[in-house]
Amino acid sequence: MPKIFENIRAMQALVDVLPIAIFVKDAESKFQLMNKACEAQWGMNFSDLQGTDASQFFPPDQMAWFLSKDREIFSGGCQVDFEETFWNASLKQNRLGHTYKKPIYDESGKPLYLICVTIDITDSKKSLQELQLSEEKLRTMFDMSPLGMARNSMDGKFVEANNTFLSIVGHSLDELNRLSYWDLTPESYAQQEAEQLESLRTKSKYGPYEKEYINSSGQRVPVRLNGVQIEGSDGEKFIWSIVEDVTERKIAEQQIHQLAFFDPLTKLPNRRLLLDRLQQAFSVSARNGQHGAIMFLDLDNFKTLNDSKGHEFGDLLLIEVSKRLLSCVGDGDTVARLGGDEFVIVLETLSINQEEAASQAELIAENIRTSLNSAYQLHELAYHSTSSIGIVLFRGHLESLDNVLKYADTAMYQAKTAGRNAIRFFDPNMQAALEARAELENEMRQALSEQQFCLYYQIQVDSQRQPLGAEVLIRWAHPQRGLVPPVQFIPLAEESGLIIPIGLWVLQAACAQLKAWQHSPQTAALTLAVNVSAKQFQQADFVAQVKQVLTDSGANPSLLKLELTESTLLDKVEEAIAKMQEIIAMGVRFSIDDFGTGYSSLQYLKRLPLYQIKIDLAFVRDIASDPNDVAIVKAIIAMTEALGLNAIAEGVESEEQFNFLDKHGCHAHQGFLFSRPVPLLEFEQVLSKFMQD
Ligand code: C2E
Ligand code: MG
Ligand code: MG
């Protein structure tokens, strides 16, 4: 040992320069040496401790601990280190020290000294604890985050992940650690992933983008993710990804999409989506030259089911029909519901050859028709339905979408008019006829507002040829076409519903005329027969209308005769009878027009509160030539007689016919023999002529 260490002062100086607390105790744990750093650390002077065991500074239990620890070290014989509390007198606080103690013995092995080094670790320990605490906090936050977070090594292996991420992918951390990013990525995302990897390579980050993970049960979970590449302190690179589970958002999006583009009842595409698909189909067809077809399908008599059984049954039928339709078409084809009982089917990729394409489409349409014709079980109701289908082929953009749809609709209409349960291809002539009809309908509306309609009067006489009154027959004084007869517009007016305002106008005009005739004795007793169409009669407020017109005009109700046809009365007989009775109660009478052309049974006729039966002109016309008609006319008159009704013949053109009818008991007559239908002024002349005779 160098001599310098034998000098105690030199020794003291040496330890004093050391920046670490050093002290030496003897075998009795009494302080023998202490450096400056130790004085500072303990806030004491060595002089206060020298030769003592410091028991003056510590409570007895702590002292006992120090002493027994020292004894243990001496008996242990080797260096130990441990944490212990020490007192800092100037700070007046306990602090934590990390103390190293090494026992020294003499040659005989007797304990001499304990060489002690102590470091105040209070502050570092505290910051370490704080550090641990904040790490825990971070971990909690990490796990509580609603966003999934995961760390992957650069080769894609999962290193760590928070709870949210684990629940998104349905794996435990252990399982995840055995997986790579690619194990969770469906193959279909390969291209997208390659782009993201490229972004990671060039910009050290990727996303945000959307993909799907395959979770532990093999299901797809839609996620939105982005991430960064981070280099750790050891230089190792890894990828942190932030992952948002977007399942709910996707469901909401899907619901919105569903509502916007699908029919809620049948789940089929709606009109909007249909138009979209058609546009695409047109483009595909334009590219590949193949034909496509559009079918308009309408269920026959659907309204009857809806009206009689209620909408619930109607809905059931529509759902079943949509299933059957889907089963009849291919995957690439579209079945859409336009609303009500109207469906549209778009067939794609039919033949390039038009005829072949037509027969392909027809075959499918025929399958559909057959499928929809087979029995339905709607709850307890066994139901049978048929359909009318219109087809039009398309190829590329040769025709506009609107036109093609219109053509398919026309073809469907044609199938309906062909007696329903039928398939029809679009026919351009039909289209022209329909367009003319549409124009006529428009013009008819105008005619009403511009008062282009007028009434002609055709005289009705008794067997003495004395005027009884007239039938009013409508005419349309068309500004370009001249006088249009009713056969050319009444059927369309009935179909379009325009017959209702038109019929009302006729009734008002006739009643006004009756009222006007009241003032002259020559005309005061004349009756007027007004034709009432089925639709008009079937209106819920028809009775009220008649009453209103009578009141407004002040006409005598007993001079008004309403002509109904048999078919008007066939439907809902009880209701019809009740209505007629209410009107009869006002004093009005009823006549059955065109009698003999319908299907009236005697039984049924007997129940109707009629005044008169009008023998149809078809029988009258052939009285002279057709023995069958002779028999029919005779039978009708006899029957009328039996029922106590009045008989009138229409279409009487010859004396021969008149004589025959008169001979067989027909009470009244109408026809060209007496006068054609004429305008009012002319009619009044006809009247005076008859009265003179
Ligand atoms: P309808 O009620 O059976 O009227 C009789 C039709 O026979 C009238 O035809 C009349 O001109 C025609 N006629 C009368 N006498 C003879 C004859 O001797 N020989 C021949 N060949 N025909 C004769 P019009 O005026 O063309 O009316 C046709 C149909 O139009 C009417 O048949 C009626 O069903 C309907 N109609 C006319 N006016 C109205 C109306 O105001 N309302 C409704 N709903 N229908 C009307
Ligand atoms: Mg008539
Ligand atoms: Mg008639």
Side-chain angles (χ1 to χ4, degrees), residues 211-501:
K211 64 174 280 188
E212 286 170 313
Y213 277 142
I214 306 169
N215 72 8
S216 57
S217 351
Q219 285 160 339
R220 304 275 186 110
V221 186
V223 289
R224 176 185 155 88
L225 70 171
N226 54 61
V228 283
Q229 181 179 302
I230 287 180
E231 200 170 314
S233 49
D234 53 0
E236 195 186 343
K237 289 179 185 164
F238 48 82
I239 303 156
W240 268 111
S241 300
I242 309 286
V243 182
E244 184 188 357
D245 182 342
V246 293
T247 310
E248 274 173 27
R249 198 196 75 204
K250 287 270 170 195
I251 290 172
E253 275 173 8
Q254 184 143 19
Q255 278 169 346
I256 291 166
H257 184 262
Q258 186 78 21
L259 285 175
F261 293 105
F262 292 87
D263 163 43
L265 178 69
T266 60
K267 313 276 183 285
L268 293 178
N270 63 11
R271 181 187 293 271
R272 192 180 295 144
L273 185 55
L274 169 74
L275 293 179
D276 200 53
R277 297 251 176 107
L278 270 174
Q279 284 292 6
Q280 285 173 25
F282 273 42
S283 302
V284 170
S285 158
R287 273 200 302 277
N288 63 19
Q290 286 178 295
H291 283 91
I294 298 177
M295 290 185 198
F296 257 56
L297 183 148
D298 189 284
L299 299 178
D300 300 329
N301 304 316
F302 177 71
K303 194 174 173 302
T304 315
L305 172 72
N306 242 357
D307 289 350
S308 61
K309 290 282 167 189
H311 286 265
E312 194 198 335
F313 283 86
D315 286 356
L316 283 176
L317 179 67
L318 292 172
I319 292 169
E320 181 57 29
V321 163
S322 57
K323 284 186 194 154
R324 293 188 189 183
L325 288 177
L326 285 171
S327 71
C328 292
V329 301
D331 282 346
D333 301 328
T334 297
V335 178
R337 180 178 170 225
L338 289 193
D341 58 339
E342 279 191 349
F343 294 86
V344 175
I345 296 129
V346 184
L347 303 177
E348 292 190 53
T349 58
L350 300 176
S351 173
I352 289 181
N353 175 290
Q354 187 178 354
E355 272 167 33
E356 207 177 331
S359 77
Q360 287 170 331
E362 190 172 22
L363 190 69
I364 296 171
E366 193 52 58
N367 276 342
I368 289 176
R369 199 180 64 86
T370 313
S371 165
L372 297 192
N373 270 7
S374 55
Y376 295 83
Q377 191 65 43
L378 311 173
H379 290 323
E380 68 284 354
L381 178 71
Y383 187 72
H384 185 259
S385 172
T386 57
S387 55
S388 301
I389 305 176
I391 311 177
V392 63
L393 293 181
F394 64 86
R395 191 176 182 190
H397 298 279
L398 288 180
E399 285 275 3
S400 76
L401 186 60
D402 281 352
N403 273 352
V404 176
L405 285 172
K406 198 167 70 188
Y407 297 160
D409 194 22
T410 305
M412 198 268 291
Y413 181 79
Q414 205 180 355
K416 283 258 184 237
T417 47
R420 299 158 193 248
N421 192 15
I423 298 168
R424 286 290 178 277
F425 271 87
F426 168 65
D427 166 5
N429 293 332
M430 179 79 182
Q431 184 59 29
L434 276 180
E435 273 162 18
R437 275 170 56 98
E439 197 188 326
L440 190 67
E441 198 182 312
N442 268 337
E443 288 180 347
M444 224 164 17
R445 272 175 223 282
Q446 217 175 332
L448 252 179
S449 60
E450 292 177 8
Q451 307 205 324
Q452 292 170 6
F453 293 117
C454 60
L455 290 184
Y456 271 39
Y457 295 74
Q458 188 177 30
I459 195 164
Q460 296 180 336
V461 299
D462 65 12
S463 46
Q464 263 70 55
R465 303 186 190 224
Q466 282 309 297
L468 293 165
E471 177 179 9
V472 291
L473 294 157
I474 194 169
R475 299 290 180 267
W476 180 1
H478 192 285
Q480 285 89 40
R481 292 185 230 186
L483 208 61
V484 185
V487 279
Q488 284 179 25
F489 65 90
I490 291 289
L492 179 60
E494 282 178 340
E495 225 172 276
S496 63
L498 274 174
I499 192 66
I500 290 174

Side-chain angles (χ1 to χ4, degrees), residues 458 471 473-475 486 490 499 506 531-533 563 593-594 617 650-653 671-672 677:
Q458 188 177 30
E471 177 179 9
L473 294 157
I474 194 169
R475 299 290 180 267
I490 291 289
I499 192 66
V506 173
N531 293 286
V532 173
S533 86
E563 289 193 5
D593 205 352
D594 305 338
L617 49 77
E650 64 180 344
V652 183
E653 292 183 357
F672 296 168

